[in-house]
Amino acid sequence: HSGSMKGDKMRCVREATQTALGLMDSSDIVSVVIFDHRREVLIPAQPVTDQRALQQHVAKIKDAGGTKIAPAVEAGLDELRKNMRGNMINRLLLLTDGQTEGENDCLRIADEAGRMGIPLTALGVGDDWNEDLLIEMGNRSGGTAEYFQNPQDISEFFQGTVQQAQGSVVQNAALSLRLVQGVEPR
């Protein structure tokens, strides 16, 4: 929510987040961390039991300050750690429109996300973000990086991300067969 997010970008991010929250239910756990030169856990990790209340928190986000990504991503990982279980699908979305200080810290945290099995989707909007950094963060975590010239495209991406995670039924499945002697699987 840095000052450079003022106007259309901020409105679109709020709307995209509210729409994504509207697709979730009590089996989904969400957290929202906002950042400028400071970070704030706006919504601590919790099941989505009251979509409207969460959407109201998001509606209050205002633009202010500079851009410091690493502490915000670290706070996001901390929130994910609170509810990590073997059968859950975890995602971390980072959206920024600016340059950041502490690029090495960003890469270190992306490495940590990768070790935790949490793909980071690093999203750049507008013209002033560091493409190389976001691509490297995505790669190191096993995630991706995307670019939005038009802030209106953010909503569709957020919706797709939620629906993809909800549509995943099996993760890291293993099948063990004990066959009768003389029977071979084909």
Side-chain angles (χ1 to χ4, degrees), residues 13-26 28-32 34 41-61:
V13 170
R14 280 193 305 261
E15 288 174 3
T17 305
Q18 290 170 318
T19 300
L21 288 167
L23 295 171
M24 296 180 191
D25 61 33
S26 60
D28 297 307
I29 297 173
V30 69
S31 175
V32 176
I34 60 175
V41 178
L42 182 69
I43 299 172
Q46 61 187 277
V48 181
T49 55
D50 188 349
Q51 293 171 338
R52 187 180 248 35
L54 296 174
Q55 289 168 329
Q56 288 172 345
H57 281 301
V58 170
K60 296 176 186 174
I61 299 173

Side-chain angles (χ1 to χ4, degrees), residues 146-161:
E146 298 284 335
Y147 164 67
F148 301 107
Q149 178 63 41
N150 187 346
Q152 283 84 13
D153 296 337
I154 297 168
S155 186
E156 183 179 330
F157 186 89
F158 277 26
Q159 288 176 53
T161 299

Side-chain angles (χ1 to χ4, degrees), residues 90-111:
N90 296 291
R91 298 282 182 270
L92 194 147
L93 298 177
L94 163 68
L95 187 133
T96 184
D97 74 335
Q99 301 288 323
T100 186
E101 57 186 78
E103 290 183 11
N104 287 334
D105 290 334
C106 292
L107 296 175
R108 177 186 53 77
I109 295 164
D111 287 336

